[in-house]
Amino acid sequence: QVRFVKWALWYHGYRRPQLQRLPADGTAGSRELLLAFSWLLHCPGLLERLLARNRVQTGDGTSVCTCEDDVPKSQEGTSEAGPGGRVDVRYLQWLHGRLRLQWCSLHAQHQEQCKLLHKIHLFTSGSHMDQNLGHFSVTEADLIRHPENYKQLLQLLESETTQLEAFLEWKQLEPVYWQWMETVLDDMAEEGIMCESQDADVEKRRLPEVTSCCPWAAKLAGQMDRLSRDLLALQEQLHQLMAQRKAACWEKVATREELQKERFSATARKAQESTELKLRGLTSLCTPQKNRMHGLCRLVLRNKQPASKMAFGQCVSKEAAAAFSAAEVIRELQVREASLQRELQQLQQQCRTKLDGIAEGLEGVICISP
């Protein structure tokens, strides 16, 4: 459990090394856990996510998101293996295969669920009192078949109301909590400064001064002083030499990379530039508006009606509830799929070109491209 918590926090962006160094038996680290919990409250919005997850759904909803995945530049190309170090590639391949298998199974179950939902919506069409909906949801159909289950639904609604009341109370007392956390951070910062000063004092310890009046002792102390000065001078020279060597190595690497880049074919670079221009044009054409489809929306069956009359009911998004049909979502997702496929082919071609350039510099090795 402790390892899982550390990995989960690392995955979600909490990279504090003091937390990763905590013992696994739980004997220490209460304040580190308090800091991690406060970070979860602030950055990912833990309470809001829990409320959205535990929300009682009386209608048939689905999550729709056509927003672009904006990856920060600081995270692009990172190869961090996490707090545990290196990971075996074969284990990653096994995880990838297992993930694909579970994804196919989930897709098949989702298709079956869509078919059953369509049957319920079609058979109960025209039975609902609300004309905007027109049909029953799965929960409403189950309550009609089993009226005794309304008590369980009522308990769930009361539990959700209690959680919302607790959340409102927390919002009123939240400033007091963050003031207290500021004092905790100040105390930890002071303790960290004290620990650093103690470590510095231990490192600065030297040999005791010679208080004896013996001439051989004074002579030995002078020799030791000269040796220490010589060692310091040699250490400085060594650092300078290492810096010069490192700069020379970086220059060689830079020149070699430039030569390899020059060896790349000009046609590949032109194709890359043209592909990027096409992708930008597709992005500008497909996303001219700022309001993207995002959030949890209620499914409503509409047969041969214009999109302007379609209503999704409630939508858990900060923007105004917008009605859109499944055909619109499918078209936009198909455009995104084509764009991602072109980007994947472009990246594969770049990798092949780099591998060919590396293979040319290897002697006595035969590389067969996949």
Side-chain angles (χ1 to χ4, degrees):
Q1 290 178 355
V2 172
R3 288 181 59 191
F4 174 75
V5 170
K6 290 181 179 179
W7 273 96
L9 289 170
W10 182 279
Y11 174 77
H12 286 286
Y14 189 75
R15 307 296 175 87
R16 184 171 170 82
Q18 287 82 353
L19 178 70
Q20 302 297 332
R21 290 196 292 263
L22 289 179
D25 53 0
T27 56
S30 58
R31 286 196 297 183
E32 290 295 334
L33 292 176
L34 179 62
L35 283 178
F37 176 72
S38 302
W39 180 83
L40 287 174
L41 288 178
H42 178 66
C43 292
L46 180 64
L47 296 181
E48 289 80 359
R49 289 190 177 187
L50 288 176
L51 288 175
R53 183 177 181 180
N54 298 331
R55 184 182 177 187
V56 180
Q57 299 292 339
T58 57
D60 300 326
T62 183
S63 59
V64 179
C65 181
T66 58
C67 303
E68 296 292 337
D69 299 330
D70 295 330
V71 180
K73 294 182 179 180
S74 59
Q75 297 182 2
E76 291 182 354
T78 56
S79 59
E80 296 179 355
R86 299 179 62 185
V87 180
D88 192 0
V89 178
R90 293 171 296 181
Y91 177 68
L92 294 178
Q93 291 176 346
W94 176 76
L95 284 180
H96 179 66
R98 186 178 178 184
L99 182 62
R100 290 187 62 183
L101 180 62
Q102 292 180 355
W103 181 261
C104 293
S105 175
L106 179 63
H107 182 63
Q109 293 176 6
H110 186 67
Q111 285 184 328
E112 186 67 22
Q113 182 186 10
C114 290
K115 292 179 181 179
L116 296 176
L117 281 177
H118 179 71
K119 287 183 179 180
I120 294 175
H121 293 174
L122 188 62
F123 291 160
T124 60
S125 179
S127 303
H128 205 283
M129 293 179 62
D130 190 353
Q131 297 299 325
N132 293 325
L133 299 177
H135 57 79
F136 291 148
S137 64
V138 174
T139 305
E140 294 167 346
D142 184 69
L143 286 176
I144 292 175
R145 294 182 60 189
H146 305 284
E148 65 276 5
N149 292 340
Y150 81 95
K151 294 182 178 180
Q152 183 180 2
L153 179 62
L154 184 60
Q155 291 177 357
L156 292 175
L157 291 173
E158 290 177 352
S159 175
E160 183 181 5
T161 304
T162 305
Q163 293 177 7
L164 291 173
E165 291 175 353
F167 181 73
L168 291 176
E169 186 178 358
W170 155 254
K171 280 298 181 182
Q172 294 177 357
L173 300 176
E174 188 177 7
V176 181
Y177 176 81
W178 292 118
Q179 289 178 2
W180 172 55
M181 284 305 302
E182 288 180 0
T183 59
V184 174
L185 286 173
D186 294 339
D187 293 341
M188 295 188 71
E190 290 179 0
E191 290 182 3
I193 293 173
M194 290 177 62
C195 293
E196 290 178 359
S197 62
Q198 290 177 1
D199 296 339
D201 292 339
V202 170
E203 291 179 358
K204 289 181 179 179
R205 287 179 184 173
R206 295 180 180 179
L207 294 172
E209 296 181 357
V210 180
T211 57
S212 175
C213 59
C214 298
W216 61 269
K219 184 177 180 181
L220 183 60
Q223 292 177 357
M224 291 178 66
D225 290 337
R226 285 195 299 272
L227 285 174
S228 63
R229 287 194 296 269
D230 293 341
L231 284 173
L232 289 175
L234 288 173
Q235 188 176 5
E236 292 178 359
Q237 293 178 4
L238 181 61
H239 282 306
Q240 293 177 359
L241 184 61
M242 287 177 62
Q244 293 176 359
R245 292 285 178 87
K246 188 180 291 186
C249 289
W250 280 114
E251 289 179 359
K252 289 181 180 179
V253 170
T255 53
R256 185 174 180 180
E257 289 181 353
E258 289 179 359
L259 290 175
Q260 288 182 353
K261 288 181 180 179
E262 290 178 357
R263 268 192 265 170
F264 289 160
S265 61
T267 57
R269 281 182 292 182
K270 290 181 180 179
Q272 179 180 355
E273 291 175 358
S274 62
T275 306
E276 289 178 354
L277 289 175
K278 290 179 181 178
L279 288 174
R280 291 174 186 172
L282 283 174
T283 305
S284 60
L285 288 174
C286 296
T287 60
Q289 69 278 8
K290 293 183 179 180
N291 297 329
R292 308 291 295 172
M293 303 177 188
H294 182 80
L296 183 64
C297 301
R298 181 166 182 170
L299 290 173
V300 177
L301 181 62
R302 290 290 181 266
N303 293 325
K304 298 180 180 180
Q305 291 187 8
S308 60
K309 296 182 180 180
M310 296 179 184
F312 262 64
Q314 299 175 355
C315 181
V316 187
S317 60
K318 297 181 180 179
E319 302 168 358
F324 45 89
S325 63
E328 296 176 0
V329 179
I330 291 173
R331 283 195 298 269
E332 186 149 357
L333 290 177
Q334 287 176 349
V335 171
R336 283 196 61 193
E337 181 186 8
S339 175
L340 291 175
Q341 285 288 345
R342 286 190 292 268
E343 187 177 356
L344 177 62
Q345 294 176 1
Q346 176 187 351
L347 293 175
Q348 288 177 346
Q349 184 62 34
Q350 290 179 1
C351 290
R352 290 194 188 96
T353 308
K354 289 182 180 179
L355 288 175
D356 292 340
I358 294 172
E360 290 179 359
L362 299 176
E363 296 181 358
V365 178
I366 299 175
C367 297
I368 302 175
S369 59

